[in-house]
Amino acid sequence: PALALSFTDVELDEHAFADAPRAARPAAREFRIITVATLAQLYKAPDVLIDAVALCRREGLDVQLVVVGDGKYRSSLEARTRARGLEDKINFLGQLTAGNAVRAQLDRADLFVLPSKAEGLPRALLEAMARGLPCIGSTVGGIPELLPPEDLVPPGDVEALAHKIREVTADPERMARMSARNLERARQYREEILRPVRLAFLDYLCVRTEAWLSARQ
């Protein structure tokens, strides 16, 4: 039988992490949701998120959305926003420089949402977790490796996503627990933790390859 191993190439340096989890905050003021996604394709489902925000607002939740990212679908997504009367509640920031510029936006937000239709292990989600952000994701790819089932929704389900957003934002203590859990989970992706794992794997691969070559002689 063949040996199959895998590990992520995502690693976070010390500057990626918040100093501490977020405290519970009052539920009365406007909530700021953020997503970070390419708009060159729609597999990150920003269209689903826009519709979920529209539904949340129709049902009385005071929420705004910030979209970080750019691509050929931006104009159609902005048109979708206008069609739902949300042009003053959804802000397209375009592409930001990686690092401090993105972290500044994450730090201003209350909730990160990534309702992808397809995924690997999303770096954007890990970076949001490292800032202590409560996060909601979909049940695809590597997202369930990072978030527990209670913070997940089926891909493409606008109503389920809107319900999850309302459920989470209605419970400040839950959001504080999500913040602490996400920050702790993200710390497992620090470079000083992952680099020794990768080096051990490469050493193992060298040993096994040398043994295999010797056996063929």
Side-chain angles (χ1 to χ4, degrees):
L3 175 67
L5 297 172
S6 65
F7 46 74
T8 179
D9 62 353
V10 176
E11 60 181 36
L12 302 175
D13 63 33
E14 59 180 324
H15 303 294
F17 294 91
D19 293 332
R22 300 181 178 207
R25 46 145 283 182
R29 66 175 176 85
E30 183 179 58
F31 284 93
R32 183 181 177 95
I33 294 174
I34 189 170
T35 193
V36 179
T38 177
L39 305 185
Q41 302 293 336
L42 293 179
Y43 73 92
K44 300 282 188 180
D47 51 337
V48 173
L49 181 52
I50 288 169
D51 289 352
V53 167
L55 182 54
C56 284
R57 291 197 63 83
R58 288 201 300 271
E59 296 184 351
L61 181 63
D62 192 7
V63 61
Q64 63 167 298
L65 171 64
V66 171
V67 180
V68 176
D70 213 341
K72 65 180 181 180
Y73 287 99
R74 176 173 173 173
S75 60
S76 64
L77 292 167
E78 289 175 331
R80 190 185 198 95
T81 295
R82 291 191 296 271
R84 284 148 182 76
L86 295 175
E87 54 267 38
D88 62 336
K89 294 298 179 182
I90 298 182
N91 187 11
F92 291 84
L93 296 185
Q95 193 73 31
L96 299 181
T97 304
N100 290 337
V102 174
R103 290 170 196 153
Q105 293 300 323
L106 293 173
D107 290 346
R108 293 179 61 196
D110 301 299
L111 179 67
F112 180 90
V113 180
L114 189 68
S116 301
K117 300 170 186 174
E119 239 351 312
L121 190 77
R123 183 182 183 91
L125 175 57
L126 265 172
E127 289 180 344
M129 294 168 67
R131 303 312 296 174
L133 258 178
C135 298
I136 293 171
S138 56
T139 55
V140 301
I143 295 177
E145 296 180 35
L146 301 175
L147 299 178
E150 61 267 25
D151 297 340
L152 300 174
V153 296
D157 192 328
V158 172
E159 291 188 359
L161 180 56
H163 176 78
K164 184 64 68 175
I165 291 170
R166 295 194 307 273
E167 176 185 286
V168 166
T169 55
D171 189 343
E173 294 298 332
R174 174 178 177 175
M175 293 185 75
R177 292 193 300 272
M178 292 167 71
S179 172
R181 182 179 61 236
N182 289 349
L183 180 55
E184 184 60 30
R185 184 77 176 94
R187 284 176 175 149
Q188 297 175 30
Y189 290 83
R190 290 174 299 177
E191 54 184 321
E192 63 264 31
I193 291 177
L194 290 181
R195 187 168 292 126
V197 175
R198 295 192 184 104
L199 291 175
F201 167 72
L202 293 173
D203 286 344
Y204 171 83
L205 188 61
C206 287
V207 169
R208 292 299 298 265
T209 300
E210 289 174 357
W212 180 77
L213 290 172
S214 296
R216 289 174 60 88
Q217 292 176 355

